[in-house]
Amino acid sequence: MANRASLTPSLQAPTVTSTSTPSTTSLLTPALLSLSSPPQAQVDIHALEYLLIEASRTLADSARVAQARRDKAEAEMRGAGWLPTQGGKEETGGARALSKLKEPLRDEVERARRARAEEEEEVAVRLRLENIGLHVGGNLAEKLCRDRTRFADPLDSVKFLCKEIWPAIWDKQVDNLRTNHRGVYVLQDAAFRPLVRLSSPFGSAEAAKRAKLHLAFPCGVIRGALARLGLHGTVTAEVTTLPQCTFQIKIPKNT
Amino acid sequence: MANRTNYKQIGEDLWKGRTEKINAELFAFTYGALVVQLIQDYEDCGEVNRQLERMGYSIGTRLIEDFLARSNLGRCNDFREVGEVVSKIGFKSFLNITPSITHTAALPPPPGAAAPAPSQTRPGAGASFVLTLEENPLAEFVEMPEEAVDGGLWWSNVLCGVLRGALEMVQMQVEAVFLSDVLRGDESTEIRVTLKRYLEEEVPAGED
């Protein structure tokens, strides 16, 4: 009987002919397979969008608190003599010198100091948003790659980022991907979702400048996703004209 | 009651009509990373609770406009109806969950109390409802460490803020607090929303 089955060509699935343990893959029907992966819960995309919009303000406040705590700890250590006090001397000397300056000059120095403090705050918020993006990008990449073979080429990883990770978060693929095949990739999005409804009463140039903060999270997502896939590099973002933006990824060759 | 089934159906239709949906895990990852960052910055769970609530308040004030525009619902007749709309349509259309709800009517004023001020005689002030969340998309994959549990952290406190902000924009001042949370080892996750008073239509003070 075994011989006859193997000689006749037929479109039926081959019957088990040997006496060794039969494979059980035939027991895995599609219905059973779908039971093994849990149903994907979904939420409205706007929930995430509102969360990220408010997150930048919340993180700015928390960054300020964290910085104040660090400054206080530093000041205490200086007071207790654990840190050199040169910095402190400079500050008090500066304050005395400041009071001797004339009004307009003093205002300028104050303005410069405030601008620098604002810059530091913005850097702190960007860092936090990027960290959140790192976390999200990495976990998302891991989830979406679950049943795939490993990517042979860094270009494949970047294409995966553009075609699968982007839609998972922003509901569309990246519009344009360019590479110089030497580790530099440029992603262009003509209507990037977080930027689509942004505007500023101070004009489009000002809006483009302020929009950069909203690109911190996406930069983190890109960096996190690629890192989880084994590629470590740097990501920078530019806003040309709202809502267009570009992301430049640099992956050094030795990874 | 016929009204109750209508709400459920409206909620379902609204959710099905949403074309832009994302994976709930993505939402959970983002929220989780945010809470962790706040804990690292503030180092005080009580403060983190407050910040989450405040953030939720801002989100709620925006969210309600979105909700009203989509759902086209009219004014609610009483606080009970508010609870039904919130649980069956509000939560459903944004988070695709339908928490179960338990209503508690307003307590009558104790006898012999001084006559209440005019703004408090509107029936319903003091009424409350409790939402029981069987599933919580914010809490996927979350395990709270001992310090957070001891510190009194309510992981999903942003939801309380959203409820407060959204309802304030429709002239209701409410207090929303967590009663229990499975992340803290409790049996269920519950939020109680209590109506403090109805707000007059006026420019809100204090925000500017």
Side-chain angles (χ1 to χ4, degrees):
Chain A
M1 187 165 262
N3 282 337
R4 207 184 302 153
S6 56
L7 284 174
T8 33
S10 110
L11 289 170
Q12 292 173 348
T15 51
V16 172
T17 54
S18 65
T19 49
S20 62
T21 339
S23 156
T24 49
T25 24
S26 54
L27 293 174
L28 285 175
T29 60
L32 213 59
L33 270 174
S34 69
L35 271 181
S36 70
S37 25
Q40 294 295 325
Q42 292 185 308
V43 299
D44 190 25
I45 198 172
H46 294 88
L48 183 63
E49 287 185 337
Y50 292 132
L51 184 67
L52 284 171
I53 291 171
E54 288 304 321
S56 14
R57 197 183 60 147
T58 308
L59 288 172
D61 291 340
S62 76
R64 227 170 286 139
V65 167
Q67 185 60 42
R69 195 176 50 237
R70 268 197 295 273
D71 290 341
K72 190 169 142 207
E74 237 182 75
E76 276 175 13
M77 288 203 282
R78 285 223 178 88
W82 294 351
L83 279 181
T85 50
Q86 287 103 337
K89 280 217 186 98
E90 266 173 20
E91 276 165 22
T92 47
R96 250 180 280 127
L98 195 64
S99 56
K100 291 202 185 125
L101 285 177
K102 294 207 179 60
E103 264 305 321
L105 279 177
R106 201 188 311 180
D107 284 342
E108 259 202 59
V109 171
E110 272 303 313
R111 223 174 300 138
R113 191 182 301 175
R114 231 175 297 139
R116 205 182 45 203
E118 263 175 37
E119 244 184 69
E120 284 176 8
E121 280 181 9
E122 200 183 303
V123 164
V125 179
R126 300 205 88 222
L127 186 70
R128 282 164 171 72
L129 285 171
E130 261 200 55
N131 277 339
I132 295 182
L134 270 172
H135 182 83
V136 171
N139 287 339
L140 196 60
E142 216 174 274
K143 242 185 73 65
L144 293 175
C145 280
R146 207 175 65 144
D147 297 314
R148 291 166 169 266
T149 53
R150 195 182 289 192
F151 292 115
D153 192 24
L155 181 60
D156 289 331
S157 304
V158 178
K159 283 207 274 207
F160 166 78
L161 172 75
C162 299
K163 290 199 165 137
E164 305 226 14
I165 297 199
W166 224 250
I169 311 180
W170 296 296
D171 213 31
K172 68 186 280 288
Q173 294 187 356
V174 168
D175 290 315
N176 202 337
L177 168 64
R178 291 202 304 267
T179 173
N180 69 356
H181 292 287
R182 278 197 289 273
V184 179
Y185 305 86
V186 177
L187 279 64
Q188 252 180 338
D189 200 321
F192 194 44
R193 220 190 144 96
L195 305 178
V196 158
R197 300 223 169 89
L198 281 188
S199 70
S200 166
F202 304 113
S204 56
E206 184 65 27
K209 206 173 69 163
R210 303 220 182 168
K212 279 202 79 167
L213 191 63
H214 293 260
L215 298 177
F217 174 74
C219 284
V221 169
I222 296 175
R223 205 150 64 93
L226 291 177
R228 201 61 71 93
L229 297 172
L231 302 168
H232 302 270
T234 54
V235 183
T236 47
E238 283 281 328
V239 181
T240 40
T241 46
L242 286 172
Q244 251 186 17
C245 66
T246 53
F247 296 91
Q248 198 185 60
I249 309 174
K250 287 202 185 82
I251 301 176
K253 261 301 173 175
N254 53 8
T255 48
Chain B
M1 280 212 273
N3 272 345
R4 206 163 292 161
T5 32
N6 275 351
Y7 292 142
K8 228 179 157 76
Q9 193 54 51
I10 297 173
E12 287 279 346
D13 291 340
L14 270 182
W15 173 251
K16 290 214 183 74
R18 298 307 304 146
T19 47
E20 300 154 325
K21 299 177 190 157
I22 52 164
N23 197 310
E25 287 173 5
L26 169 62
F27 187 54
F29 289 151
T30 314
Y31 183 72
L34 180 64
V35 177
V36 166
Q37 181 66 63
L38 289 179
I39 296 177
Q40 282 174 356
D41 282 340
Y42 284 105
E43 288 182 1
D44 170 13
C45 290
E47 189 59 40
V48 173
N49 282 340
R50 268 189 290 280
Q51 293 300 320
L52 288 175
E53 210 271 352
R54 205 182 70 151
M55 185 170 72
Y57 179 83
S58 303
I59 295 177
T61 55
R62 294 171 191 263
L63 205 98
I64 184 74
E65 304 216 7
D66 194 326
F67 176 72
L68 290 174
R70 285 192 222 171
S71 63
N72 240 326
L73 290 170
R75 202 174 258 272
C76 287
N77 294 319
D78 56 16
F79 201 59
R80 190 191 182 82
E81 210 176 315
V82 169
E84 293 293 317
V85 169
V86 162
S87 68
K88 296 192 169 59
I89 311 184
F91 272 89
K92 179 73 181 170
S93 60
F94 287 106
L95 297 179
N96 197 23
I97 56 172
T98 311
S100 52
I101 183 166
T102 328
H103 297 274
T104 314
L107 298 163
S119 64
Q120 288 171 356
T121 45
R122 276 272 294 272
S128 67
F129 56 83
V130 173
L131 298 164
T132 309
L133 282 73
E134 274 100 39
E135 19 167 2
N136 185 358
L138 293 173
E140 293 271 333
F141 313 124
V142 174
E143 206 180 284
M144 291 224 298
E146 288 245 358
E147 312 90 57
V149 175
D150 293 337
L153 180 72
W154 295 112
W155 183 262
S156 316
N157 215 32
V158 72
L159 294 176
C160 293
V162 170
L163 288 168
R164 184 169 71 93
L167 292 176
E168 189 168 304
M169 291 295 115
V170 284
Q171 294 354 98
M172 278 173 268
Q173 189 181 58
V174 302
E175 181 194 60
V177 288
F178 264 94
L179 296 176
S180 60
D181 192 353
V182 293
L183 290 178
R184 298 174 61 84
D186 300 321
E187 293 264 319
S188 56
T189 307
E190 298 179 321
I191 303 177
R192 184 179 59 213
V193 182
T194 319
L195 176 65
K196 294 270 152 200
R197 61 190 185 100
Y198 288 98
L199 298 168
E200 302 297 328
E201 298 261 354
E202 57 180 282
V203 176
E207 284 290 349
D208 32 35

